Amino acid sequence: MPDAQRPFDERATQDLHFDPANPRLAEFKVSAKTPEDEILKILWDTMDVAELVQSIASSGFFQHEPLMIVRENGRDVVVEGNRRLAAVKILTRPELASQNRWNIPTITESARKKLEKLPVISIERDKQWRFLGFKHVNGPAKWSSYAKATYIAEVHRDYKIPLADIAQQIGDRHNTVQRLYRGLMVLDQAEKLKVFDRDDSYNKKLAFSHLYTGLDYEGIAGFLKIKTKDEETDTPVPASNKKQLGEVLLWMYGSDKLKRPPVVQTQNPHLRYLDAALKSNEAVTALRDGADIMTAYELSRPSNEIFEEALVRAKRELQRAQGSISGGYTGSKDLLRLAGTVVELAEDVYDTMERKQPGLKRKRLTEEQ
């Protein structure tokens, strides 16, 4: 029984189990059949459990921040606090750290004894989503975007909560809930249509933010003919755009089987480049032929933008050459010939531009004129 100093229930650490349905584990294909020691390794490798091990080893477990548990299939499953549970299990079972070559501090026997039981609060799954949603979707301890999307989809599907109500409950004022949900539904739809497989993505970790962010971009949305984020649908992309859906996901995530890396390597600027490319038929054809993102992007740009940018860059580089000529040029005839070619090209560009100025007398203009 909890006393006045410890208002929570307690459970033996060895009787507490990780939650295979935890949204943060969804990215790693964890299921109810995944062994607990494998889940522990995932938590250690990807979720900074080491820093919690250090903290708990030096200061103990904070008794007034209990783990949240549900009773399922005769077991106490931790729905909030899996990282802390992992840290305690490692400290109380040092043989695990030794087997996995994890560097952990040594604690005294009395400190280990204090970790054999942990404070808990029992709760029903359908009652805890508001707290977890605020804390991890829009609050101080944010999950990854994929974990957030998985959680939102589960609440929406399992508890029949409208997306607008989820957004209101967690204080979301930026359509994040709708955007995340739509992104996950696009992935699910692509897998059902067999044009994409999450397990086949070129990189081990799926950059989900590329997708849910990109779906708001005009070029990507238009290419897919995607429905608006306000529609609570599990089929955001028309079936007639099945091919385009597979192409977008291939360009974003690549394919391990095909040995094709994604053309979108970073969200900034590559996602914007892909968006621009998908507005141009020529650029789309280039992407389909295996062109890289910069080649496709350049094909999508208006000629006047490319010309002005090239001219400004040429001027800047010539100014650099001029500034270093006294010490940088030592009489090489090859460099002199190269400079002559530059002069000829510059004169040809200027003459062509001048001919496009009706009524202008042949007089070379400068920026000062």
Side-chain angles (χ1 to χ4, degrees), residues 273-319:
Y273 290 171
L274 178 63
D275 179 62
L278 294 185
K279 297 176 185 177
S280 162
N281 291 334
E282 187 178 3
V284 168
T285 299
L287 285 171
R288 286 171 174 162
D289 289 341
D292 60 53
I293 192 62
M294 283 305 302
T295 300
Y297 174 63
E298 288 297 323
L299 289 171
S300 74
R301 297 178 66 197
S303 297
N304 62 313
E305 281 187 13
I306 297 172
F307 176 74
E308 181 177 352
E309 184 179 292
L311 205 59
V312 170
R313 190 185 303 120
K315 177 193 171 187
R316 185 167 60 245
E317 292 301 315
L318 283 170
Q319 286 174 328

Side-chain angles (χ1 to χ4, degrees), residues 216-249:
D216 284 333
Y217 292 176
E218 181 182 339
I220 296 172
F223 186 75
L224 293 175
K225 294 183 170 55
I226 195 165
K227 296 173 185 176
T228 67
K229 54 182 169 284
D230 298 325
E231 298 185 52
E232 299 182 8
T233 175
D234 56 4
T235 55
V237 178
S240 58
N241 275 50
K242 170 181 173 179
K243 174 188 174 184
Q244 290 88 336
L245 174 57
E247 288 175 328
V248 167
L249 294 176

Side-chain angles (χ1 to χ4, degrees), residues 78-199:
V78 175
V79 294
E80 169 64 6
N82 280 269
R83 289 173 67 239
R84 286 177 288 147
L85 176 61
V88 172
K89 282 183 178 287
I90 291 169
L91 285 169
T92 55
R93 294 176 58 195
E95 71 277 6
L96 282 175
S98 178
Q99 291 168 10
N100 291 285
R101 298 182 179 180
W102 296 335
N103 184 22
I104 67 168
T106 301
I107 60 174
T108 65
E109 189 59 34
S110 62
R112 185 176 291 112
K113 202 111 177 105
K114 290 179 181 179
L115 296 175
E116 289 180 354
K117 289 186 177 181
L118 296 176
V120 300
I121 290 179
S122 297
I123 192 169
E124 300 298 324
R125 276 197 188 268
D126 61 353
K127 300 291 193 301
Q128 45 83 34
W129 72 265
R130 290 177 176 82
F131 168 76
L132 295 186
F134 172 76
K135 182 177 181 180
H136 295 301
V137 177
N138 203 42
K142 290 183 173 63
W143 285 329
S144 71
S145 57
Y146 187 83
K148 293 177 187 178
T150 300
Y151 189 71
I152 289 164
E154 288 175 354
V155 171
H156 180 61
R157 180 187 64 241
D158 297 345
Y159 310 136
K160 313 302 179 190
I161 309 294
L163 296 180
D165 290 356
I166 297 174
Q168 184 177 13
Q169 285 290 336
I170 67 174
D172 170 32
R173 300 179 182 178
H174 305 287
N175 295 314
T176 304
V177 166
Q178 287 86 349
R179 293 171 64 217
L180 289 168
Y181 179 79
R182 183 175 64 168
L184 188 62
M185 291 305 100
V186 166
L187 282 182
D188 288 349
Q189 185 183 9
E191 290 193 316
K192 289 173 184 175
L193 292 172
K194 300 188 184 306
V195 294
F196 180 68
D197 179 0
R198 265 168 271 205
D199 291 337

